[in-house]
Amino acid sequence: MSEKMLSFVSVPQAQPPKRQADERRKDFEEIYEDFSPAQAKVQSSRCSQCGVPFCSIHCPLGNNIPDWLMLAANGRLEEAYNVSQATNTFPEICGRICPQDRLCEGNCVIEKGFESVTIGAVERYITDTAFENGWVKPVLPLVELESSVGIIGAGPAGLAAAERLRATGHQVHVYDRHDRVGGLLIYGIPGFKLEKDIVARRQKLLEEQGVVFHLGAAIGAGEGEIAFEELRGKHDAVLVATGVYKAREIGGPGSGLAGIVPALDYLTASNRRSLGDTLPEGELDATGQDVVVIGGGDTAMDCVRTAIRQGAKSVKCLYRRDRANMPGSVREVKNAEEEGVEFVWLAAPEGFLGDGTVSGVRAQKMRLGMPDGSGRQSIEPEPDGLFTVKADMVIKALGFDPEPLPELWQTDALKTSRWGTLQVDRTSFETSVSGVFAAGDIVRGASLVVWAIRDGRDAAAQIDQWIAARPSSSLAAE
Ligand code: FAD
Ligand code: SF4
Ligand code: SF4
């Protein structure tokens, strides 16, 4: 072990510099800067090089964290990058947007009393440095295979699978209904968490590797869409990585009023504007509005912080439980508060006021009750707890369910779970249809980028084995 490690006893934890709230409210640029080389070295050296690294165990990719921390602490950054990219297709993206407090850092053994190693920020620093120095290269296949794989969905699951399959030599075609590559990385997650050129440089590498993208190509049974069976006929294997997009609805009187909008429509419009697209003036735009966001997850946090940047008059987040029981990341709530978001805890919407267009939210004050079977505290209404919050725009951020793929694609053979996610064999990732595999949110339900990457990589390995096990005569030439 390097002498430079174990410095956590003398070196306090430090995150990379964060821009001042007043400054970051004005733009959609990332709020954290990269570590300086000296900071990255000294922060990496805080690691105690555990024999059983709980950080790695709790990283969905099983990243070899202690090794790349030790290499970074010694300034051996190219080697650190090589170790880091061996298990993670997009380390610079995970370093930016993984909820580290619930994953690697939340399980770092030095946390108690000393605060965890800043694993995510170091991971980001290593790969950003690798890009700056030209160390990140497309993994070109050693042999070209005739076999062809069609991937539906250019989100992190589809892209991670594409990268692995292409590296093995398969001909890889990725289809997406959107006009840009990245899935929720591009149209869901705002630029202040993940700048869009970070995603675009990965697209370029995949293209250099030989992955073929078909954009504006929706799979479905509608007009202008590609039929699922037609796609199957073109490829030896198909991977479905379509994510989950059906927004959970909110009921109650007035829920159909104009000005009540789904979170993803709102975020997509904002991301499109940031990318330079022209949208009708005022459409899904919070400028000058009193905005109420309903929900307590990461999507709600992205909406409130987007509304602040658009210049909303006021931004409130209504959540039916309290701060301690909200699903969103603690770090993101803090960032939102710094930027001027007001949280109204223990408030459940009952209905919406307005004449044609929404003008307010009628909400019920709640209180925490006894823990339920899962240990989570139940909630119950406070007597006489009704109140009204002024709103010209209400954003519904209550989560997502899968779209009904068998119905939309007219393929009854594709079996789903009772939640609507695609059923797969847990080892092979194969669906109920032979040669059709699935990965990412469409299998797990709404989850995380790091899990989508993991599933994409694992599914790619299984597809590769499945193709190799078939009689070679059945391989299709593209
Ligand atoms: P997606 O990223 O959803 O990609 C699916 C792709 O499939 C899309 O490009 C879609 O256009 C395409 N597609 C769908 N249907 C079709 C079709 N019929 N034909 C062709 N193409 C199709 N996770 C984190 O780890 N950290 C975060 O900070 C974070 N923030 C988030 C913020 C928001 C607002 C949202 C909504 C999610 C966030 N997540 C976050 C979750 C994360 O984005 C997802 O778990 C992840 O993107 C799932 O990856 P995926 O590849 O399975 O699906
Ligand atoms: Fe932590 Fe995510 Fe990186 Fe794993 S991929 S080490 S969970 S930041
Ligand atoms: Fe280092 Fe913390 Fe991981 Fe231990 S758990 S190896 S101290 S980062």
Side-chain angles (χ1 to χ4, degrees), residues 185-405:
L185 300 177
I186 205 95
Y187 283 137
I189 299 170
F192 50 82
K193 276 165 57 181
L194 175 67
E195 282 173 12
K196 302 301 161 191
D197 54 355
I198 306 285
V199 185
R201 70 184 179 188
R202 282 290 173 186
Q203 175 182 352
K204 187 164 170 282
L205 277 169
L206 288 161
E207 285 168 345
E208 284 167 12
Q209 198 193 14
V211 172
V212 181
F213 288 102
H214 303 262
L215 299 178
I219 310 308
E223 206 185 320
E225 296 184 334
I226 304 167
F228 180 59
E229 286 308 322
E230 183 190 331
L231 194 83
R232 283 190 70 204
K234 280 188 182 169
H235 301 287
D236 297 280
V238 168
L239 175 70
V240 183
T242 48
V244 290
Y245 283 88
K246 201 170 108 201
R248 286 193 195 131
E249 276 307 328
I250 193 162
S255 57
L257 288 167
I260 304 177
V261 299
L264 202 54
D265 290 3
Y266 173 68
L267 292 172
T268 303
S270 171
N271 277 314
R272 280 195 177 282
R273 285 196 174 95
S274 298
L275 285 157
D277 293 355
T278 311
L279 273 73
E281 208 183 314
E283 187 176 286
L284 294 165
D285 187 348
T287 312
Q289 315 251 38
D290 287 307
V291 177
V292 170
V293 176
I294 296 172
D298 286 333
T299 302
M301 294 311 102
D302 289 349
C303 291
V304 287
R305 298 177 67 200
T306 296
I308 289 278
R309 282 160 176 78
Q310 289 180 339
K313 197 155 96 195
S314 70
V315 183
K316 293 190 174 64
C317 179
L318 253 60
Y319 181 56
R320 63 202 177 112
R321 293 172 188 271
D322 64 354
R323 181 192 289 266
N325 286 289
M326 79 181 296
S329 140
V330 177
R331 189 173 66 172
E332 297 306 305
V333 176
K334 188 161 177 278
N335 287 335
E337 280 181 326
E338 286 170 4
E339 289 163 10
V341 175
E342 188 188 325
F343 284 86
V344 186
W345 306 111
L346 292 161
E350 290 277 302
F352 302 90
L353 309 172
D355 184 10
T357 302
V358 73
S359 60
V361 181
R362 198 91 179 110
Q364 166 69 50
K365 193 85 196 135
M366 309 299 285
R367 65 183 176 202
L368 293 171
M370 298 298 286
D372 61 17
S374 68
R376 199 176 186 203
Q377 272 182 292
S378 60
I379 42 168
E380 56 195 29
E382 285 264 20
D384 303 322
L386 274 177
F387 64 102
T388 302
V389 185
K390 188 173 179 318
D392 318 308
M393 185 180 202
V394 175
I395 302 173
K396 301 176 281 186
L398 300 161
F400 303 94
D401 290 315
E403 291 167 316
L405 287 191

Side-chain angles (χ1 to χ4, degrees), residues 425-438:
D425 177 281
R426 289 168 84 97
T427 310
S428 71
F429 287 79
E430 197 170 14
T431 64
S432 49
V433 179
S434 174
V436 176
F437 299 76

Side-chain angles (χ1 to χ4, degrees), residues 99-149:
Q100 286 105 9
D101 47 354
R102 301 205 301 260
L103 301 171
C104 52
E105 293 180 18
N107 290 280
C108 171
V109 293
I110 64 166
E111 194 197 8
K112 307 262 175 322
F114 288 100
E115 294 193 298
S116 67
V117 178
T118 46
I119 300 168
V122 175
E123 187 177 27
R124 166 192 164 158
Y125 169 80
I126 292 169
T127 313
D128 283 352
T129 308
F131 269 104
E132 277 162 29
N133 287 283
W135 303 331
V136 186
K137 300 260 172 16
V139 184
L140 300 175
L142 295 176
V143 284
E144 283 294 346
L145 302 172
E146 287 188 336
S147 47
S148 157
V149 182

